[in-house]
Amino acid sequence: MAHDAQTWPELQPSALWPTLETLQLWTQIVGKVRLSQTPWLNHGWHVTLRVTARGLSTGLIPHGAVDLELEFDFIAGTLVIRVSDGGERRVALGPGAVADFYAETMAALAELGVACRINLTPDEMAEATPFPEDRRHRLYDPEVARDYWRTLVQADRVFNRFRTRFLGKCSPVQLFWGAFDLAVTRFSGRRAPLHPGGIPNLPDAVTREAYSHEVASAGFWPGDPGRGPAFYAYAYPAPAGFDKATVAPTEARWDAALGEFILPYEAVRTAADPDAVLGAFLETTYAAAADLGGWDRAALDCEEGRLRHPRRVG
């Protein structure tokens, strides 16, 4: 069923997870190609994927005398690999073994003259079978993938609007293929205590670098077999009383197991004004983190960006 570009598609958890589990493993392979070729950028921002008009892209990746880009095109149902010398290859997206997708992707890169060696173990996943050894037949429904991408398009738009209301250091809106969440993160500007680490199949050095400074972060997570898709918000370090803060809308709640506020996706999708409901969640959870954490909001906050109008100064 086709959806208008401005709708929030229905996401059925039972149908969503089999396809997204497959897609997450594919994005890890593609993301690790970017990781293998790109100098480290603060907080791991060099490894992420960005939402595009057709899917998810690595953006330009340096590779010697040329650059390459890998994009999941969910409309055409292919992984498109392009090189700045004009070369292009496509890998079909469909049910099958992760090992086959890995082999086809690596072969396509080699054919284009941009062969890469990557870490073969999935990150931040309970199952960590190396990609070339993962022969289990996995499901993939292209329409489910397209609905997931359409949701990312909507979330990306609202997150970027939220981003315009902050003058301090703020991340791009980006998809982290480890935890498989679309996120935007604001920074207070102060150093944070050393993160304890302990995330499965992720070096503690990576986690500690990511959380080197105080953050208020929000994002969209598509869920897992035990939880449905939801928006989330957390702070690191979480200030005293953060878990008791009053946030909007009424459907938002504190999840003690996750250590973050959760807003079910369905509460946004079915709202009369989904943008306003999600915007309220982003703003109130940030305000709770910043106020309780003693952020200098007078120096960090600003009015929302307007079309064709520079921010007023003075």
Side-chain angles (χ1 to χ4, degrees):
M1 174 178 174
H3 294 277
D4 182 84
Q6 293 301 313
T7 64
W8 295 77
E10 183 177 4
L11 300 177
Q12 292 287 350
S14 59
L16 192 65
W17 179 245
T19 289
L20 292 197
E21 183 182 37
T22 304
L23 182 57
Q24 182 177 9
L25 288 163
W26 292 347
T27 62
Q28 295 227 0
I29 293 169
V30 167
K32 284 172 182 281
V33 170
R34 187 177 184 195
L35 172 62
S36 73
Q37 300 296 309
T38 311
W40 198 276
L41 183 63
N42 51 295
H43 316 298
W45 295 350
H46 62 302
V47 306
T48 56
L49 304 180
R50 304 293 178 85
V51 180
T52 72
R54 298 185 70 90
L56 290 167
S57 172
T58 61
L60 284 177
I61 302 171
H63 194 290
V66 297
D67 285 4
L68 68 144
E69 178 184 20
L70 298 91
E71 181 181 24
F72 287 98
D73 183 337
F74 296 124
I75 296 176
T78 61
L79 172 69
V80 186
I81 307 172
R82 300 185 181 94
V83 181
S84 58
D85 63 6
E88 180 178 309
R89 293 290 188 279
R90 292 173 179 256
V91 177
L93 305 180
V98 170
D100 293 337
F101 178 84
Y102 166 79
E104 291 176 32
T105 301
M106 293 298 112
L109 290 169
E111 290 169 7
L112 291 167
V114 288
C116 301
R117 295 180 61 185
I118 68 171
N119 181 298
L120 300 177
T121 304
D123 293 342
E124 301 183 58
M125 300 184 73
E127 179 184 339
T129 303
F131 305 123
E133 301 172 18
D134 191 341
R135 302 298 316 176
R136 180 160 69 90
H137 181 83
R138 296 182 181 273
L139 301 178
Y140 183 77
D141 183 328
E143 192 56 46
V144 169
R146 282 190 284 270
D147 280 345
Y148 165 68
W149 160 67
R150 292 183 180 108
T151 301
L152 294 183
V153 169
Q154 301 304 319
D156 182 270
R157 175 175 49 78
V158 178
F159 288 178
N160 272 299
R161 184 175 171 185
F162 171 68
R163 191 180 177 218
T164 69
R165 300 197 289 269
F166 195 70
L167 292 176
K169 174 180 169 181
C170 186
S171 77
V173 179
Q174 53 195 341
L175 186 131
F176 287 90
W177 38 263
F180 209 46
D181 60 327
L182 186 74
V184 60
T185 303
R186 292 175 171 182
F187 293 77
S188 73
R190 302 186 301 233
R191 291 297 298 262
L194 189 68
H195 195 284
I199 296 176
N201 297 308
L202 187 70
D204 288 346
V206 174
T207 306
R208 288 168 178 159
E209 194 278 334
Y211 290 101
S212 62
H213 290 69
E214 291 181 344
V215 302
S217 190
F220 170 73
W221 180 57
D224 62 21
R227 296 185 181 90
F231 296 93
Y232 67 81
Y234 67 88
Y236 181 80
F242 183 59
D243 59 333
K244 302 296 192 299
T246 299
V247 302
T250 56
E251 294 89 346
R253 62 179 177 81
W254 177 258
D255 189 307
L258 295 176
E260 55 193 26
F261 286 102
I262 291 294
L263 173 63
Y265 171 73
E266 191 68 5
V268 174
R269 186 187 75 83
T270 58
D273 188 343
D275 286 25
V277 169
L278 178 54
F281 179 72
L282 297 173
E283 194 59 45
T284 57
T285 53
Y286 160 69
D291 290 342
L292 293 169
W295 290 29
D296 186 358
R297 296 192 65 188
L300 294 171
D301 296 359
C302 66
E303 64 181 1
E304 184 173 305
R306 301 165 60 198
L307 295 175
R308 300 181 296 277
H309 287 271
R311 182 176 60 85
R312 290 195 299 265
V313 178

